[in-house]
């Protein structure tokens, strides 16, 4: 009877598939794995290769057993499957469309890693072939390396219930469920724009947020984001340190109540802070902004400096790094991708110190200009000088009433005709629910 059911599934699926997608029918007899026993768990595998920096060929015959938890059924996952055991999860790339017909959710598989590669993408480990397009394994090799065992059973793929503020490394790529959350743009936006993969924000009652990432090729991309409180199931990913949820199909959307919020609880306190880390960058090792990799804030936040003048430095006795804006040169540190929506009244804080080494050196802190979404901020005059003891003294500048937007751009601009001494910039911070009435400048020690 099971075989008859699978045959019917095959013909029904073929009727509804578009001509552009290939479909892999399920096997007609119950698969039985007859290879070697598993000798490693997914966590043990990931621990073994945690520090790799380049794609690495697996020469040892390592075999793990797991359950398929994610595939390309809706098109939101593309040319890969996610496999999970009781310890961890990992994704495997395959050069084939519509693999979901054969590798269904709940399917037990044995994965032989010999002659495959383990590599990092976005800072996270995955399995593939480094010598192929996008590291994907050919369909022929994939079926040899990833073998089915028994019929798929959806009950094998049970999501782990998580809280947005309690995420750990072991959860990367696992099937999870989040409850009592709402979409910030629920009832307003579709899951994705028509021409690009789109990030939408969910948040819980405490103001913790996460990205839900949806491909414009998924079959639910133009569905409206649900309104109100509800739950979601999906694959919990992490890209360059930023957590994101990947829905497998529209069935992963669970029971939203459709109610408008009585009032969003704004996130109070600091929600963005860039310190440029605690690394040391002496002369000869001062990366330019476009080359620097150790920013505190990760994607979708992006840092650029078009003119290549500013760099990251450290000075003796200082606690960590800062940005150096050199004298007599044009430089422009631009930070994009900051979300200030639903954060209450937002204040921008940052710290400046002028290079006043010479006894007669003097400057004004407003010689470093600031723009928010292209609008020049009004920073009051504040003279500093060596004679007044201001050399290497840090000042905190606070700018209130920052624009509410999903994508705020902040620019720190140094002009060659204004900056004649050189400035150090550090501790760029955005604070929600704490805006004052005017720009203030406070002298104080540098704090991290």
């Amino acid at each position: 009877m099971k075989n008859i059911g699978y045959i019917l599934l095959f013909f029904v699926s073929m009727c509804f598939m578009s001509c552009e997608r290939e479909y892999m029918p399920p096997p007609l007899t119950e698969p039985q794995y007859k290879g070697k026993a598993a000798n490693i768990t997914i966590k043990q595998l990931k621990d073994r290769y945690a520090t790799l920096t380049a794609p690495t060929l697996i020469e040892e015959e390592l075999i793990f057993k797991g359950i398929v938890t994610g595939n390309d059924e809706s098109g939101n996952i593309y040319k890969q499957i996610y496999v999970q055991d009781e310890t961890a999860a990992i994704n495997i790339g395959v050069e084939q469309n519509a693999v979901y017909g054969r590798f269904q959710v709940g399917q037990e598989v044995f994965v032989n890693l010999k002659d495959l590669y383990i590599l990092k993408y976005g800072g996270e480990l995955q399995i593939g072939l480094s010598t192929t397009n996008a590291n994907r394994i050919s369909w022929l090799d994939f079926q040899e390396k990833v073998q089915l065992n028994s019929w798929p059973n959806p009950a094998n793929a049970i999501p782990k219930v998580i809280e947005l503020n309690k995420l750990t490394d072991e959860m990367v790529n696992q099937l999870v469920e989040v409850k009592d959350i709402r979409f910030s743009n629920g009832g307003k936006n579709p899951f994705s724009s028509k021409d690009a993969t789109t990030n939408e924000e969910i948040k819980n009652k405490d103001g913790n947020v996460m990205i839900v990432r949806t491909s414009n090729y998924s079959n639910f991309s133009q569905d409206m984001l649900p309104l109100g409180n509800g739950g979601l199931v999906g694959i919990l990913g992490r890209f360059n340190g930023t957590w994101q949820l990947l829905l497998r199909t529209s069935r992963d959307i669970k029971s939203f109540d459709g109610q408008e919020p009585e009032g969003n609880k704004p996130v109070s306190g600091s929600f963005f802070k860039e310190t440029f880390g605690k690394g040391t960058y002496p002369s000869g090792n001062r990366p330019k902004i476009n080359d620097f990799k150790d920013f505190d804030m990760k994607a979708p936040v992006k840092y650029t400096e078009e003119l290549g003048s500013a760099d990251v430095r450290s000075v003796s006795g200082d606690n960590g790094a800062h940005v150096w804006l050199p004298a007599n040169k044009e430089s422009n540190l631009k930070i994009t991708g900051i979300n200030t929506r639903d954060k209450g009244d937002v204040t921008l804080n940052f710290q400046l110190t002028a290079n006043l080494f010479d006894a007669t050196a003097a400057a004004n802190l407003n010689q470093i200009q600031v723009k928010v979404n292209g609008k020049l901020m009004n920073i009051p005059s504040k003279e500093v000088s060596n004679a007044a003891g201001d050399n290497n003294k840090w000042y905190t500048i606070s700018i209130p009433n920052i624009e509410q937007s999903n994508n705020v751009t902040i620019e720190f601009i140094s002009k060659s005709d204004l900056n004649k001494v050189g400035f150090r910039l550090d501790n760029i911070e955005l604070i929600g629910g704490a805006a004052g009435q005017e720009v203030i400048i406070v002298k104080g020690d540098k704090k991290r």
Side-chain angles (χ1 to χ4, degrees), residues 12-25:
V12 171
S13 299
M14 288 298 292
C15 292
F16 286 96
M17 291 299 293
S18 82
C19 61
E20 296 182 358
R21 295 194 70 185
E22 302 173 50
Y23 179 71
M24 294 296 118

Side-chain angles (χ1 to χ4, degrees), residues 59-102:
E59 300 180 275
E60 184 180 353
E61 192 167 35
L62 300 177
I63 300 170
F64 69 79
K65 179 178 70 173
I67 300 297
V68 175
T69 56
N71 56 31
D72 60 356
E73 180 180 351
S74 73
N76 201 33
I77 295 172
Y78 182 65
K79 291 189 174 183
Q80 57 187 318
I81 63 170
Y82 288 82
V83 179
Q84 179 174 323
D85 65 12
E86 65 278 4
T87 67
I90 198 164
N91 59 322
I92 310 174
V94 53
E95 192 57 69
Q96 180 68 34
N97 290 317
V99 298
Y100 72 92
R102 186 170 182 84

Side-chain angles (χ1 to χ4, degrees), residues 21 71-80 82 97 136 183 190-200 211-223 225 244-250:
R21 295 194 70 185
N71 56 31
D72 60 356
E73 180 180 351
S74 73
N76 201 33
I77 295 172
Y78 182 65
K79 291 189 174 183
Q80 57 187 318
Y82 288 82
N97 290 317
R136 299 187 190 108
F183 282 92
F191 275 88
S192 173
S193 71
K194 292 183 178 180
D195 56 3
T197 296
T198 301
N199 293 337
E200 286 289 347
I211 289 169
V212 174
R213 188 166 174 82
T214 307
S215 168
N216 54 309
Y217 291 103
S218 71
N219 61 15
F220 62 92
S221 66
Q222 298 308 297
D223 293 353
L225 296 171
Q244 54 192 28
L245 189 67
L246 195 64
L247 306 186
R248 301 165 302 168
T249 71
S250 59

Side-chain angles (χ1 to χ4, degrees), residues 219-420:
N219 61 15
F220 62 92
S221 66
Q222 298 308 297
D223 293 353
M224 194 64 65
L225 296 171
L227 180 65
N229 283 323
L232 296 171
V233 172
I235 302 296
L236 179 64
R238 188 169 61 182
F239 186 82
N240 289 336
T242 298
W243 293 98
Q244 54 192 28
L245 189 67
L246 195 64
L247 306 186
R248 301 165 302 168
T249 71
S250 59
R251 297 189 298 275
D252 284 338
I253 305 165
K254 306 294 182 182
S255 302
F256 281 75
D257 61 21
Q259 301 297 311
E260 292 280 0
E262 295 180 1
N264 292 331
K265 180 179 180 180
V267 175
S268 60
S270 176
F271 63 91
F272 177 103
K273 187 165 186 180
E274 183 54 65
T275 70
F276 305 100
K278 295 186 178 181
T280 57
Y281 303 93
S283 179
N285 179 30
R286 294 172 175 172
K288 297 298 182 183
I289 297 299
N290 294 338
D291 299 325
F292 189 64
K293 304 298 183 185
D294 294 329
F295 295 108
D296 300 313
M297 308 304 296
K298 307 298 182 183
V301 176
K302 185 177 180 181
Y303 302 77
T304 56
E305 204 272 304
E306 298 170 354
L307 301 172
S309 300
D311 54 34
V312 178
R313 300 186 177 188
S314 55
V315 295
S316 178
D318 200 3
N319 181 22
H322 58 265
V323 169
W324 169 249
L325 303 171
N328 303 310
K329 289 185 177 181
E330 302 282 331
S331 56
N332 178 8
L333 170 61
K334 181 183 289 187
I335 309 174
T336 58
I338 305 171
N339 185 358
T340 59
R341 288 278 302 272
D342 300 324
K343 306 297 191 296
D345 295 324
V346 176
T347 295
L348 167 64
N349 291 339
F350 61 95
Q351 291 186 310
L352 279 179
T353 184
N355 181 35
L356 305 171
F357 181 78
D358 294 335
T360 59
N364 196 307
L365 296 183
N366 64 14
Q367 289 167 349
I368 301 301
Q369 298 176 334
V370 179
K371 285 184 178 180
V372 177
N373 281 356
K375 180 181 178 181
L376 189 65
M377 299 290 100
N378 180 28
I379 299 177
S381 173
K382 175 59 181 178
E383 298 284 348
V384 290
S385 67
N386 180 289
D390 292 319
N391 185 37
N392 289 327
K393 288 292 182 70
W394 289 89
Y395 285 81
T396 297
I397 300 174
S398 294
I399 303 175
N401 304 318
I402 299 302
E403 182 176 336
Q404 301 276 310
S405 172
N406 287 329
N407 186 3
V408 168
T409 296
I410 300 174
E411 300 175 75
F412 297 90
I413 302 166
S414 173
K415 294 184 173 293
S416 59
D417 59 340
L418 294 177
N419 179 6
K420 298 297 183 181

Side-chain angles (χ1 to χ4, degrees), residues 54-57 116-119 128-137:
T56 300
L57 176 66
L116 298 179
Y117 279 78
I118 187 165
L119 56 140
L129 278 178
S130 72
T131 56
T132 59
N133 177 42
N135 303 308
R136 299 187 190 108
I137 306 167

